Amino acid sequence: MDVTLYTQPVRRFPSIRSAFRGYRLLFAFFLLVLSAPAGYSQGPDSSTPAGRVILVLPFENRSGQADLGWIGDSFPDTLNQRLSSASFLTISRDDRQYALDHLGFPADFRPTRATTIRIAQTLDANYVVIGSYNVANGRISVQAQVLEVKELRMSPPIEDSNDLQRLFDVQNTIAWKLARSIDPHFSVAQQTFLAASGQIKLSSFENYIRGIGATAPEERIRRLQLAVKESPGYTAALLALGKTQYTERDYDHAAATLGQISSNDRSSLEANFYLGLARFNSGRYSEAEKAFAFVASRLPLPEVINNQAVALSRQGHNATALFQRAVAADPKDADYHYNLAVALFRAGDAPGAQREVDLTLKLRPADPDASSLKAHIAHGGPPPSTQNVTTLKTAVSAPSPAFEPLERIRRTYSEASFRQAAFQIDQMRAIRMAALPPDEQATQYVQLGRDYLAQGLIPEAEGEFQSALAASQHSASARAGLAEVREQSGDLTAARDEAQLSLRLSPNAPAYLVLARLELNGNQTAASAADVSRALKLEPTNTAALGMKQALAARGQSLP
């Protein structure tokens, strides 16, 4: 029986919920930023995403073909993306692997139901998705089930099959069915999920999955480079490649790779964190500061603010205010207190530096640099000149009789912390928006939906437009947004219906433009021109409408 596998004490994995509690001060800051309604107060467990944490395990290969094993590893990748778009908090591959390592299981371990429950409890998951697949005669058949951890209840099998070349369709369909199984109120259309994988080639996806699973850095880089070559806009592959290049200390190539990720992409925060580290390690402190500042402006976690401050300090500037923010966000981190002590000491505030170095030693009594700084302050030693800050990295690498304290950069990135914080921001935003009048709720949900559309995140966009309609059924803008979602997902009949319904509610340029594009694609140039003209009458500077006008002119069709 599987219980015999537990032959040694198990160290509990730092749970997702526990990690949330470590950022209470930060989330309090977010609440202020997001203007929480007056009178609102969080309960003791409000930082926990109630009932929305999902662990997807690799699917079991029942095909008998070992070379198809990568498909099983690919299911968590796709399902995590789709379930995240459905407002679930998914557990990443790295977190899952960390848990398996600390439970004493090998990387290719396939757990029984009992060990699945143990892993889920270790990770504080509310649900676990398990599954298997078979491949025969060029077709793949998939079966998945959801384990509800609290009730120890397994869902009925969820199944789908298709040609192997349509693996994305199978995985997206399974993801949609899983979301509906767990949350019956989930309203995003299946066709939207089917369109979510975009233009990624299946061969690129295979190289990406094989690449992130490779143990040898050379093989990892080779596979990821192939994935990017075949699908140049493949953000996940670019991010994985850039991080690997950074780990291998190929900082210039890492920066070049990570710099290809658009600032509008949801991976841009992690990409810019590592871009900042790559630039920092190359001594390009101004560019490093810019990258860290970008991340901090979106998600000001303490490690990011700290790194922004260190990069600023390396340029000879006073970064005390930023170090104070890092300490306020995470007062139990010894490095942040040490960095603030150095900054205060350099600024001539010996009492403040003394206070912070004492806190550093309280948290980490054996810190040698903090002890040296404390002694230096006690003896009234002069602070290091800010003119020498940019050369401190070289100074500390060789023995020197002069004491030159150097602020510490945080070189590790907690993807889980970032995702958890983003998830929490979404929860708090929803709480704040629920207190608004229905029409205002709809307006804000529509704007969020349009932001997602601009990033190419179709399922997330539909979710926001559906929320807008739930708040106000008469929102023409929400209907127009849904029309664009249907258009982008390839459901042209539904796109036309939503656009016409939107216009019946209120004339608006986005709905007219959906109809104009559909008519132009159907070679109905006169009808398309009429709708573009109507859109421009409402919004004369609408860039999309002006672009359509040019496209029509290229076909010899002028506007009425």
Side-chain angles (χ1 to χ4, degrees):
M1 295 178 62
D2 62 284
V3 292
T4 61
L5 293 173
Y6 303 107
T7 59
Q8 56 186 357
V10 174
R11 283 180 54 196
R12 185 163 179 77
F13 178 75
S15 73
I16 282 180
R17 296 170 185 174
S18 297
F20 269 120
R21 298 185 183 103
Y23 289 99
R24 281 191 180 278
L25 290 176
L26 181 63
F27 291 147
F29 167 77
F30 284 146
L31 280 173
L32 293 174
V33 172
L34 294 172
S35 302
Y40 169 71
S41 62
Q42 290 182 295
D45 294 323
S46 61
S47 60
T48 299
R52 306 291 290 188
V53 182
I54 296 183
L55 168 64
V56 182
L57 294 175
F59 281 26
E60 182 182 356
N61 179 10
R62 295 183 177 175
S63 70
Q65 303 175 59
D67 61 321
L68 296 179
W70 70 271
I71 295 176
D73 295 329
S74 75
F75 272 91
D77 187 86
T78 302
L79 268 56
N80 279 355
Q81 292 182 57
R82 299 292 90 80
L83 293 172
S84 293
S85 74
S87 298
F88 290 99
L89 181 59
T90 58
I91 295 174
S92 72
R93 180 181 184 276
D94 289 344
D95 289 343
R96 184 183 74 239
Q97 192 58 54
Y98 184 94
L100 289 175
D101 289 345
H102 282 75
L103 287 170
F105 299 141
D108 58 352
F109 172 71
R110 292 294 181 263
T112 65
R113 178 168 175 173
T115 51
T116 296
I117 293 170
R118 183 67 177 272
I119 294 169
Q121 292 171 338
T122 301
L123 288 166
D124 272 352
N126 303 111
Y127 302 94
V128 183
V129 176
I130 60 174
S132 62
Y133 62 97
N134 193 11
V135 178
N137 301 318
R139 289 183 64 83
I140 182 170
S141 302
V142 179
Q143 183 182 93
Q145 288 181 280
V146 180
L147 170 64
E148 187 176 349
V149 178
K150 184 178 180 180
E151 303 296 331
L152 298 180
R153 180 172 55 206
M154 191 76 78
S155 76
I158 295 171
E159 300 177 332
D160 195 59
S161 63
N162 211 321
D163 292 340
L164 182 57
Q165 291 301 311
R166 302 189 66 178
L167 175 63
F168 283 133
D169 286 353
V170 174
Q171 293 183 333
N172 288 329
T173 298
I174 290 291
W176 183 81
K177 291 179 178 180
L178 288 168
R180 293 273 295 177
S181 173
I182 299 171
D183 181 4
H185 300 291
F186 182 64
S187 57
V188 173
Q190 181 177 353
Q191 182 63 32
T192 303
F193 264 40
L194 290 176
S197 294
Q199 303 301 313
I200 304 301
K201 295 180 179 179
L202 187 58
S203 56
S204 297
F205 185 51
E206 177 180 353
N207 276 314
Y208 166 70
I209 295 298
R210 291 185 183 274
I212 62 176
T215 56
E218 298 81 3
E219 175 67 8
R220 187 181 182 93
I221 289 174
R222 186 183 72 83
R223 286 284 187 179
L224 293 172
Q225 285 176 332
L226 284 173
V228 171
K229 182 178 180 180
E230 292 178 316
S231 299
Y234 196 173
T235 301
L238 284 169
L239 179 60
L241 176 59
K243 288 170 62 176
T244 303
Q245 290 167 330
Y246 168 77
T247 301
E248 294 302 301
R249 301 184 180 183
D250 186 359
Y251 300 128
D252 288 340
H253 282 110
T257 299
L258 295 166
Q260 297 178 50
I261 297 176
S262 168
S263 61
N264 291 325
D265 193 277
R266 61 168 39 188
S267 298
S268 62
L269 297 180
E270 186 175 4
N272 272 272
F273 185 88
Y274 282 101
L275 174 59
L277 288 176
R279 291 307 190 196
F280 185 89
N281 281 282
S282 298
R284 301 167 74 168
Y285 301 125
S286 177
E287 294 177 42
E289 180 200 349
K290 181 179 178 181
F292 291 131
F294 170 80
V295 182
S297 69
R298 308 287 183 90
L299 204 56
L301 292 178
E303 53 262 53
V304 182
I305 297 170
N306 175 78
N307 286 6
Q308 181 187 356
V310 175
L312 183 65
S313 178
R314 290 294 190 278
Q315 300 172 66
H317 302 303
N318 188 340
T320 301
L322 286 172
F323 285 126
Q324 288 171 331
R325 286 180 60 192
V327 167
D330 190 357
K332 294 184 178 181
D333 190 292
D335 288 336
Y336 300 156
H337 284 288
Y338 177 80
N339 287 350
L340 179 55
V342 173
L344 290 170
F345 182 52
R346 187 174 291 122
D349 183 358
Q354 181 69 58
R355 180 187 65 250
E356 293 301 324
V357 80
D358 286 342
L359 288 170
T360 304
L361 290 168
K362 182 178 179 180
L363 292 166
R364 188 184 295 152
D367 191 318
D369 292 335
S371 297
S372 296
L373 179 58
K374 180 178 176 68
H376 200 68
I377 296 172
H379 286 84
S385 170
T386 55
Q387 295 176 350
N388 296 329
V389 173
T390 56
T391 62
L392 286 177
K393 185 177 180 182
T394 302
V396 296
S397 63
S400 172
F403 175 66
E404 298 280 13
L406 183 65
E407 295 98 331
R408 299 162 177 170
I409 196 163
R410 184 56 54 85
R411 299 183 184 276
T412 56
Y413 170 93
S414 173
E415 179 192 359
S417 295
F418 274 61
R419 289 187 300 108
Q420 291 153 14
F423 185 94
Q424 184 71 6
I425 291 173
D426 288 342
Q427 301 301 301
M428 291 188 292
R429 182 188 291 117
I431 292 170
R432 179 182 61 82
M433 291 175 64
L436 298 174
D439 288 346
E440 181 61 22
Q441 285 187 49
T443 298
Q444 293 204 24
Y445 279 125
V446 167
Q447 184 56 55
L448 290 171
R450 296 217 160 273
D451 290 343
Y452 281 131
L453 272 181
Q455 299 175 55
L457 302 174
I458 305 176
E460 289 87 342
E462 178 172 343
E464 300 298 341
F465 293 136
Q466 295 284 11
S467 294
L469 288 173
S472 175
Q473 284 290 325
H474 302 292
S475 173
S477 297
R479 288 291 177 191
L482 276 181
E484 291 184 59
V485 168
R486 300 289 177 253
E487 178 190 7
Q488 291 192 30
S489 64
D491 192 345
L492 304 187
T493 299
R496 184 181 299 278
D497 291 344
E498 290 289 356
Q500 291 172 341
L501 178 54
S502 173
L503 292 171
R504 286 198 293 271
L505 291 169
S506 178
N508 63 90
Y512 277 127
L513 289 174
V514 169
L515 293 177
R517 287 190 293 269
L518 294 176
E519 290 155 352
L520 183 61
N521 289 335
N523 293 318
Q524 302 174 41
T525 56
S528 178
D531 281 325
V532 171
S533 180
R534 296 183 184 105
L536 286 171
K537 185 176 181 179
L538 293 170
E539 297 182 16
T541 61
N542 187 298
T543 54
L546 293 172
M548 286 289 295
K549 180 180 178 180
Q550 292 180 349
L552 287 162
R555 295 195 185 189
Q557 176 67 56
S558 60
L559 300 189

